[in-house]
Amino acid sequence: MLTVQEEQLDYRRAERLLDAARAALAAGDPTAAHASARAALSLWRGPALGGLQDLPAFQWEAARLDEIRLGVEQLIAEADLALGRSEEAVARLRRLATGHPLWEQPQALLMRALYRTGRQADALALYQRTRRRLVEELGIEPGAELAGVHRAILRQDPLLGRV
């Protein structure tokens, strides 16, 4: 039997750092959020559970750990946007959005980042692709956040702002 303390487990440290990053972003401190999220991301060294993720006993846990990593990646991009680093956010969000085309939040963030970098047409095209995929594959319309970003881009809402 292997006995370890909670703080010795990378995924537990990553969860705490992600919580700290979320709290910092909510408190209006994107610099601290970015630093905490980067520290959490540095704990990953490849796919969760290495070669064990395909074994039935580990599939659920591997998926849960991958979701933590995706949350960290998304938070880094959100902090980048808040810090005015839209180009960096675009690159990170493009990977997230491509890997998870039915997850609306990364799509909405990518649309916002594209808009901020002067690529309004790309942002609108992304919305159309995402909407089409949601309708065709799931039979649903985009949720409030994604549809709201779409409407804001069409109105050229100053709240989307070009930082």
Side-chain angles (χ1 to χ4, degrees), residues 73-89:
E73 293 266 5
Q74 182 172 307
L75 204 133
I76 291 170
E78 288 180 69
D80 279 337
L81 278 174
L83 292 166
R85 296 185 256 193
S86 299
E87 289 292 342
E88 291 90 337

mmCIF file of all heavy atoms in Angstrom, residues 73-89:
data_model
loop_
_atom_site.group_PDB
_atom_site.id
_atom_site.type_symbol
_atom_site.label_atom_id
_atom_site.label_comp_id
_atom_site.label_asym_id
_atom_site.label_seq_id
_atom_site.Cartn_x
_atom_site.Cartn_y
_atom_site.Cartn_z
ATOM 1 N N GLU A 73 -6.559 25.442 -18.846
ATOM 2 C CA GLU A 73 -6.249 26.050 -20.154
ATOM 3 C C GLU A 73 -7.225 27.194 -20.457
ATOM 4 O O GLU A 73 -6.821 28.264 -20.911
ATOM 5 C CB GLU A 73 -6.327 25.006 -21.263
ATOM 6 C CG GLU A 73 -5.270 23.944 -21.197
ATOM 7 C CD GLU A 73 -4.056 24.257 -22.033
ATOM 8 O OE1 GLU A 73 -3.969 25.353 -22.602
ATOM 9 O OE2 GLU A 73 -3.186 23.391 -22.094
ATOM 10 N N GLN A 74 -8.495 26.950 -20.203
ATOM 11 C CA GLN A 74 -9.501 27.969 -20.482
ATOM 12 C C GLN A 74 -9.298 29.183 -19.584
ATOM 13 O O GLN A 74 -9.407 30.325 -20.041
ATOM 14 C CB GLN A 74 -10.901 27.388 -20.288
ATOM 15 C CG GLN A 74 -11.996 28.381 -20.621
ATOM 16 C CD GLN A 74 -13.346 27.734 -20.605
ATOM 17 O OE1 GLN A 74 -13.567 26.726 -21.259
ATOM 18 N NE2 GLN A 74 -14.269 28.310 -19.864
ATOM 19 N N LEU A 75 -8.971 28.957 -18.332
ATOM 20 C CA LEU A 75 -8.779 30.080 -17.417
ATOM 21 C C LEU A 75 -7.558 30.913 -17.808
ATOM 22 O O LEU A 75 -7.586 32.135 -17.703
ATOM 23 C CB LEU A 75 -8.655 29.590 -15.979
ATOM 24 C CG LEU A 75 -9.037 30.685 -15.007
ATOM 25 C CD1 LEU A 75 -9.978 30.169 -13.954
ATOM 26 C CD2 LEU A 75 -7.834 31.311 -14.403
ATOM 27 N N ILE A 76 -6.516 30.261 -18.283
ATOM 28 C CA ILE A 76 -5.348 31.010 -18.766
ATOM 29 C C ILE A 76 -5.770 31.922 -19.910
ATOM 30 O O ILE A 76 -5.394 33.093 -19.967
ATOM 31 C CB ILE A 76 -4.207 30.061 -19.191
ATOM 32 C CG1 ILE A 76 -3.612 29.360 -17.969
ATOM 33 C CG2 ILE A 76 -3.117 30.815 -19.961
ATOM 34 C CD1 ILE A 76 -2.645 28.241 -18.309
ATOM 35 N N ALA A 77 -6.573 31.392 -20.823
ATOM 36 C CA ALA A 77 -7.044 32.198 -21.954
ATOM 37 C C ALA A 77 -7.926 33.350 -21.477
ATOM 38 O O ALA A 77 -7.818 34.465 -21.990
ATOM 39 C CB ALA A 77 -7.805 31.317 -22.948
ATOM 40 N N GLU A 78 -8.790 33.105 -20.500
ATOM 41 C CA GLU A 78 -9.630 34.174 -19.962
ATOM 42 C C GLU A 78 -8.769 35.266 -19.336
ATOM 43 O O GLU A 78 -9.037 36.457 -19.520
ATOM 44 C CB GLU A 78 -10.606 33.623 -18.930
ATOM 45 C CG GLU A 78 -11.722 32.799 -19.535
ATOM 46 C CD GLU A 78 -12.669 32.277 -18.474
ATOM 47 O OE1 GLU A 78 -13.396 33.099 -17.887
ATOM 48 O OE2 GLU A 78 -12.686 31.052 -18.245
ATOM 49 N N ALA A 79 -7.746 34.852 -18.588
ATOM 50 C CA ALA A 79 -6.836 35.834 -17.988
ATOM 51 C C ALA A 79 -6.088 36.599 -19.070
ATOM 52 O O ALA A 79 -5.905 37.814 -18.966
ATOM 53 C CB ALA A 79 -5.863 35.144 -17.034
ATOM 54 N N ASP A 80 -5.662 35.898 -20.126
ATOM 55 C CA ASP A 80 -5.001 36.577 -21.246
ATOM 56 C C ASP A 80 -5.913 37.647 -21.839
ATOM 57 O O ASP A 80 -5.471 38.769 -22.127
ATOM 58 C CB ASP A 80 -4.593 35.577 -22.341
ATOM 59 C CG ASP A 80 -3.297 34.858 -22.048
ATOM 60 O OD1 ASP A 80 -2.480 35.383 -21.264
ATOM 61 O OD2 ASP A 80 -3.086 33.768 -22.611
ATOM 62 N N LEU A 81 -7.176 37.309 -22.036
ATOM 63 C CA LEU A 81 -8.134 38.284 -22.570
ATOM 64 C C LEU A 81 -8.262 39.482 -21.634
ATOM 65 O O LEU A 81 -8.265 40.628 -22.085
ATOM 66 C CB LEU A 81 -9.503 37.643 -22.778
ATOM 67 C CG LEU A 81 -9.698 36.851 -24.057
ATOM 68 C CD1 LEU A 81 -11.048 36.151 -24.048
ATOM 69 C CD2 LEU A 81 -9.570 37.742 -25.273
ATOM 70 N N ALA A 82 -8.362 39.214 -20.341
ATOM 71 C CA ALA A 82 -8.502 40.300 -19.374
ATOM 72 C C ALA A 82 -7.253 41.178 -19.325
ATOM 73 O O ALA A 82 -7.348 42.365 -19.020
ATOM 74 C CB ALA A 82 -8.791 39.721 -17.990
ATOM 75 N N LEU A 83 -6.107 40.598 -19.658
ATOM 76 C CA LEU A 83 -4.849 41.350 -19.654
ATOM 77 C C LEU A 83 -4.556 42.015 -20.997
ATOM 78 O O LEU A 83 -3.519 42.649 -21.167
ATOM 79 C CB LEU A 83 -3.688 40.418 -19.271
ATOM 80 C CG LEU A 83 -3.697 39.920 -17.829
ATOM 81 C CD1 LEU A 83 -2.722 38.766 -17.649
ATOM 82 C CD2 LEU A 83 -3.373 41.071 -16.879
ATOM 83 N N GLY A 84 -5.477 41.849 -21.962
ATOM 84 C CA GLY A 84 -5.283 42.466 -23.263
ATOM 85 C C GLY A 84 -4.385 41.658 -24.187
ATOM 86 O O GLY A 84 -3.925 42.164 -25.200
ATOM 87 N N ARG A 85 -4.155 40.406 -23.866
ATOM 88 C CA ARG A 85 -3.314 39.528 -24.694
ATOM 89 C C ARG A 85 -4.202 38.639 -25.557
ATOM 90 O O ARG A 85 -4.207 37.422 -25.426
ATOM 91 C CB ARG A 85 -2.404 38.689 -23.807
ATOM 92 C CG ARG A 85 -1.419 39.511 -23.018
ATOM 93 C CD ARG A 85 -0.473 38.628 -22.271
ATOM 94 N NE ARG A 85 -0.848 38.618 -20.877
ATOM 95 C CZ ARG A 85 -0.090 38.142 -19.897
ATOM 96 N NH1 ARG A 85 1.075 37.615 -20.158
ATOM 97 N NH2 ARG A 85 -0.516 38.177 -18.659
ATOM 98 N N SER A 86 -4.923 39.278 -26.445
ATOM 99 C CA SER A 86 -5.919 38.561 -27.240
ATOM 100 C C SER A 86 -5.287 37.557 -28.203
ATOM 101 O O SER A 86 -5.857 36.480 -28.423
ATOM 102 C CB SER A 86 -6.793 39.555 -27.997
ATOM 103 O OG SER A 86 -7.464 40.390 -27.077
ATOM 104 N N GLU A 87 -4.151 37.881 -28.787
ATOM 105 C CA GLU A 87 -3.505 36.944 -29.725
ATOM 106 C C GLU A 87 -3.128 35.649 -29.023
ATOM 107 O O GLU A 87 -3.323 34.561 -29.573
ATOM 108 C CB GLU A 87 -2.269 37.577 -30.358
ATOM 109 C CG GLU A 87 -2.571 38.674 -31.360
ATOM 110 C CD GLU A 87 -3.239 38.169 -32.634
ATOM 111 O OE1 GLU A 87 -3.201 36.959 -32.941
ATOM 112 O OE2 GLU A 87 -3.820 39.010 -33.340
ATOM 113 N N GLU A 88 -2.576 35.754 -27.803
ATOM 114 C CA GLU A 88 -2.225 34.558 -27.039
ATOM 115 C C GLU A 88 -3.475 33.749 -26.722
ATOM 116 O O GLU A 88 -3.477 32.520 -26.784
ATOM 117 C CB GLU A 88 -1.494 34.920 -25.745
ATOM 118 C CG GLU A 88 -0.102 35.472 -25.952
ATOM 119 C CD GLU A 88 -0.085 36.991 -26.111
ATOM 120 O OE1 GLU A 88 -1.121 37.592 -26.484
ATOM 121 O OE2 GLU A 88 0.975 37.582 -25.892
ATOM 122 N N ALA A 89 -4.554 34.467 -26.378
ATOM 123 C CA ALA A 89 -5.816 33.796 -26.074
ATOM 124 C C ALA A 89 -6.356 33.070 -27.299
ATOM 125 O O ALA A 89 -6.853 31.950 -27.185
ATOM 126 C CB ALA A 89 -6.837 34.802 -25.556
#
